Amino acid sequence: MQWQDLKLFEREAAVLQQLQHSRIPQYRDYFTVENQTPWFCLVQQYIPGASLKELLVRGQQFGEEFGRQIGMEVLAILNYLHELRPPVLHRDIKPSNLVLGEDGSVYLVDFGAVQGMPNAGVAPGGTFTVVGTYGYTPLEQFGGQAVAASDLYALGATLVHLLTGVAPADLPQADLRLQWRDRVSSRLSPQFVRWLTKLTEPALERRFSTATVALDALTSVPIKPNSNDTLSEVVGVPVRLCKSPTELIIEIPSPLELAFFYPVSNLFKNIGDVIVAPFAKLAGDYPELHPPSQTAIIVVFTVAILIFRLLPGLGIGLSILFRTIIVAAATSLYLLPLVLMLMLIFVIFGAVRGVDYLQTTRIHFNRSQFAISRSSFPAAHPIEEEQGEVSKIQDVKVEPSERYHNHWQIAISYKVKWTIFSRIKKIAFGEPLNQAQLQILVNEIKDWLK
């Protein structure tokens, strides 16, 4: 036990007693145990969850959306600390000191390196103790001159570690700058890359000066989900799913889209496949050639056919193929008015029955709340919205629809406050889908909630 260790311990206890923030473990007590060697004990609120370092060790990969979420939550904590009088500097932000709680929130822990007052500077020839972790600590902190922007650099280096999977100390450097962009630039939006580059500027005057400025800059960066978070087609129909560690979004198209747009688009695609199949077969006979796209094949061969048709003595037998293309295109055009007429009848029939066949549904979960919104063409805003707390969800299951005969629905049961008591409320959605498709979505929701 060194004297400096005792000073840091007592400083941490003194500072923690003053902090009141929901994302900082609450101070309870501290005491010593006299034995052969003294033990210094600090009692704090327990945060169930896992540190970001643990998640990295498990091999978890992080995308831009998760990085943004971590950045915003930690910047909000730092904004609180830095605006105290006197300001409180953490000075050791890194993945092991950020805990992702079971509630999905990020907590800042381990204030053993905390600085509770502005640094008065180091006298020439004097000595000082360097606190922090190499790779996450900016240059000015190594010189004993930690400021609010020093914590911002440590946060930036932490985000670089999460996004690249490589510790900052193991990354190459050029002019003291961490070289990380080539590893993740294809997965991140250019605006987010610029923001993170500014956050990790080695020169203090080029870095964000305060947590508030950095947070404002981050919230103005447009969201670009990575390849794992993009809306994708699931359950065999165009239901769109967006999933990340912090969010789950499900978009269910309208009954009209499922009944007409999707089958018709498949029909046209199948017609195109029939036309392209012989050319794709020819391209596949030459493995050294890259298979061209369907559009490129159709354009190239159509132009070639036209040339052969215009040149006498050539193109014998090709007119059959040419007529096939014309017939397929004409068939599609003839089908279009029929499809539009059927769609109109479908909508009118729904209006008579009191069913909105133009209504789309969007379900959005984050770690604290969930919301379900329904909108109908041509309305610009949702016509119906419901929301609740994720922690209050009791069950998610497929059951017979209460609104439509011979249909199924997903029902989410959750607790809500009702005067001084609580009661179970249920919201339902997903009637355009069949039972098997709804069960797939229920499994996705349950897996994400775990």
Side-chain angles (χ1 to χ4, degrees), residues 102 367 443-450:
E102 290 181 352
R367 286 302 175 186
N443 294 339
E444 290 281 354
I445 294 172
K446 287 184 174 181
D447 289 343
W448 185 87
L449 289 174
K450 290 177 182 178

Side-chain angles (χ1 to χ4, degrees), residues 101-300:
E102 290 181 352
D103 60 354
S105 302
V106 178
Y107 295 82
L108 181 59
V109 302
D110 192 354
F111 282 70
V114 73
Q115 177 177 305
M117 63 183 65
N119 201 336
V122 180
T127 61
F128 59 90
T129 301
V130 175
V131 292
T133 303
Y134 180 71
Y136 305 95
T137 304
L139 193 60
E140 72 274 2
Q141 189 168 320
F142 277 114
Q145 299 289 338
V147 293
S150 305
D151 282 345
L152 302 187
Y153 180 94
L155 171 60
T158 296
L159 294 177
V160 167
H161 190 176
L162 296 176
L163 295 169
T164 62
V166 181
D170 298 329
L171 288 170
Q173 294 188 14
D175 297 327
L176 300 178
R177 289 183 175 86
L178 298 174
Q179 302 300 298
W180 55 271
R181 287 179 292 184
D182 58 329
R183 298 171 181 263
V184 292
S185 59
S186 62
R187 297 190 288 112
L188 306 179
S189 64
Q191 298 93 331
F192 186 72
V193 169
R194 287 195 293 269
W195 177 85
L196 190 51
T197 300
K198 189 174 178 65
L199 201 65
T200 54
E201 276 285 353
L204 189 58
E205 63 275 8
R206 294 182 180 177
R207 205 180 307 151
F208 291 115
S209 57
T210 67
T212 302
V213 174
L215 185 57
D216 289 343
L218 178 58
T219 53
S220 66
V221 173
I223 297 176
K224 176 196 173 185
N226 62 34
S227 58
N228 292 326
D229 298 334
T230 53
L231 295 176
S232 57
E233 186 177 298
V234 293
V235 302
V237 291
V239 173
R240 289 165 284 276
L241 179 72
C242 172
K243 183 163 62 172
S244 75
T246 56
E247 281 189 312
L248 173 65
I249 300 173
I250 299 173
E251 293 182 358
I252 301 177
S254 66
L256 181 66
E257 182 177 350
L258 291 172
F260 289 98
F261 293 162
Y262 187 68
V264 169
S265 65
N266 279 344
L267 174 63
F268 291 165
K269 179 180 180 298
N270 292 335
I271 292 175
D273 289 342
V274 171
I275 297 172
V276 170
F279 307 131
K281 173 69 169 59
L282 290 174
D285 289 338
Y286 299 91
E288 70 276 6
L289 300 177
H290 293 288
S293 67
Q294 291 188 1
T295 304
I297 293 175
I298 291 175
V299 170
V300 170

Side-chain angles (χ1 to χ4, degrees), residues 28-90:
R28 298 299 184 188
D29 195 6
Y30 89 99
F31 56 91
T32 59
V33 177
E34 295 294 340
N35 203 341
Q36 293 179 349
T37 56
W39 287 79
F40 298 91
C41 305
L42 179 67
V43 185
Q44 287 179 270
Q45 174 192 7
Y46 175 68
I47 305 297
S51 73
L52 298 186
K53 181 179 180 180
E54 291 177 65
L55 299 180
L56 284 167
V57 170
R58 295 175 194 170
Q60 183 162 336
Q61 297 181 343
F62 301 95
E64 177 173 329
E65 183 61 31
F66 188 77
R68 289 168 59 98
Q69 187 73 19
I70 297 296
M72 288 190 288
E73 294 192 25
V74 175
L75 285 172
I77 301 172
L78 292 179
N79 187 54
Y80 163 77
L81 294 173
H82 295 168
E83 289 190 348
L84 292 172
R85 291 294 176 264
V88 172
L89 308 180
H90 189 277

